[in-house]
Amino acid sequence: MTLNPNLPHVLRIIRKALAAYSGPELELRIAVNLDAAGLLTDINAMGRIDPRATVPGPPDSGSPPPDAVLPHQGIVLRRADPASETAREPGTVTRLPAPAEWEARCARAEKVFEDLVDRYGTRPEVLTVEQDHDRVVVCIRARTLADWEQWLSRIGAGAAEDTRPAGYAQLAFGTRADVPVRLVAHEVPRLLHAAYQEAVRPYCLWGRVYDLARPLAENGGNGNHWLFLGIRDKSGMPLLSARGRTEVCTLEDIVRHSGPLTPVDADASPPVTGDDAD
């Protein structure tokens, strides 16, 4: 039996996590570290095996050997982060970089890692900042959603980049100085849920909760003020209008072009009417 050559790397990551972490989030830490190292395969990228198919066996055997398996489609050499690589068609093989290119990428990642540690390593919400070869992984425990917002900006996550929950943490992907950066933000799902419950008319978009009952301003409150009209497009996306203008835009388009919106005082606009919260 031939062992998977990745096993020594997996064992090193697990040993390191066991020595550094403890508690109920240990499994998540190990899973995130394995994923960051590119050692987890996305089963959705694999081909489907036809149980009716046959596998050629030894000559004149008439049947396949008992341990024969059909090869799956797709060879995953490294998992792709949304912010750093484009999706590949199933069945393609990742192009491995030349040694000089790989070393240059790792050197850039080391500079970003050192910069993040120097600037933010002592902040109370920061748990770890680690270099993972040609990328950097930041792990925080958010005290408020302001911590989450600030770190989305620090890792270079675009306003229209989706984030996703992973247990008690929220994952985000960005680019800083051309280096992919992954953010693991503990407590953010809980904080987002609390914000959703507190909002009068909440709407979740790309890791943020917007209260559509309040005017929403661009550029931290210094730009256009957008008001929810109480109507949505066919996909359910809220439609807003800028104060003093007649054009109507979706919340998605506004955030994509102007960045995240900031709530302003509710008494700055007339009451909003329309459908219920999402």
Side-chain angles (χ1 to χ4, degrees), residues 33-45:
N33 288 348
L34 289 173
D35 192 31
L39 296 171
L40 297 184
T41 300
D42 183 356
I43 61 173
N44 294 322

Side-chain angles (χ1 to χ4, degrees), residues 22-76:
S22 62
E25 297 176 354
L26 174 61
E27 297 87 349
L28 175 62
R29 296 275 195 150
I30 294 176
V32 169
N33 288 348
L34 289 173
D35 192 31
L39 296 171
L40 297 184
T41 300
D42 183 356
I43 61 173
N44 294 322
M46 293 183 177
R48 299 299 181 185
I49 296 177
D50 186 352
R52 298 170 298 178
T54 59
V55 181
D60 303 324
S61 66
S63 63
D67 59 345
V69 294
L70 289 174
H72 65 70
Q73 297 177 1
I75 301 175
V76 180

Side-chain angles (χ1 to χ4, degrees), residues 61-110:
S61 66
S63 63
D67 59 345
V69 294
L70 289 174
H72 65 70
Q73 297 177 1
I75 301 175
V76 180
L77 298 182
R78 188 174 187 86
R79 186 182 184 282
D81 283 349
S84 61
E85 300 181 37
T86 57
R88 302 181 182 85
E89 292 294 328
T92 60
V93 179
T94 304
R95 183 188 68 84
L96 295 178
E101 178 187 350
W102 176 251
E103 291 176 1
R105 284 163 52 175
C106 290
R108 290 196 298 269
E110 183 176 6

Side-chain angles (χ1 to χ4, degrees), residues 253-265:
D253 285 340
I254 298 169
V255 173
R256 191 183 301 277
H257 291 95
S258 302
L261 303 179
T262 303
V264 296
D265 293 337

Side-chain angles (χ1 to χ4, degrees), residues 38-244:
L39 296 171
L40 297 184
T41 300
D42 183 356
I43 61 173
N44 294 322
M46 293 183 177
R48 299 299 181 185
I49 296 177
D50 186 352
R52 298 170 298 178
T54 59
V55 181
D60 303 324
S61 66
S63 63
D67 59 345
V69 294
L70 289 174
H72 65 70
Q73 297 177 1
I75 301 175
V76 180
L77 298 182
R78 188 174 187 86
R79 186 182 184 282
D81 283 349
S84 61
E85 300 181 37
T86 57
R88 302 181 182 85
E89 292 294 328
T92 60
V93 179
T94 304
R95 183 188 68 84
L96 295 178
E101 178 187 350
W102 176 251
E103 291 176 1
R105 284 163 52 175
C106 290
R108 290 196 298 269
E110 183 176 6
K111 290 182 178 179
V112 170
F113 161 74
E114 293 174 348
D115 179 60
L116 287 173
V117 171
D118 290 342
R119 289 172 178 261
Y120 312 111
T122 58
R123 291 187 59 86
E125 77 275 9
V126 175
L127 298 177
T128 60
V129 180
E130 297 180 348
Q131 179 185 354
D132 173 32
H133 302 296
D134 63 334
R135 63 194 66 196
V136 176
V137 181
V138 179
C139 184
I140 69 169
R141 187 180 302 277
R143 301 162 299 174
T144 66
L145 285 178
D147 290 335
W148 168 242
E149 292 279 353
Q150 290 168 0
W151 274 101
L152 287 176
S153 176
R154 288 166 185 159
I155 70 168
E161 292 293 337
D162 203 6
T163 67
R164 60 175 182 262
Y168 296 103
Q170 194 85 2
L171 305 182
F173 306 89
T175 303
R176 186 181 177 96
D178 295 326
V179 172
V181 182
R182 179 194 299 258
L183 175 63
V184 182
H186 294 269
E187 302 297 333
V188 168
R190 178 183 62 80
L191 294 170
L192 290 174
H193 178 73
Y196 189 94
Q197 295 296 320
E198 293 173 2
V200 175
R201 181 161 290 167
Y203 190 87
C204 294
L205 181 66
W206 295 320
R208 296 175 174 88
V209 176
Y210 294 99
D211 189 349
L212 301 179
R214 303 175 63 182
L216 300 171
E218 301 173 7
N219 303 322
N222 297 321
N224 292 323
H225 286 198
W226 292 88
L227 310 177
F228 177 48
L229 302 178
I231 57 176
R232 303 167 188 267
D233 65 9
K234 293 182 180 179
S235 69
M237 181 63 59
L239 295 172
L240 291 80
S241 177
R243 179 176 286 123

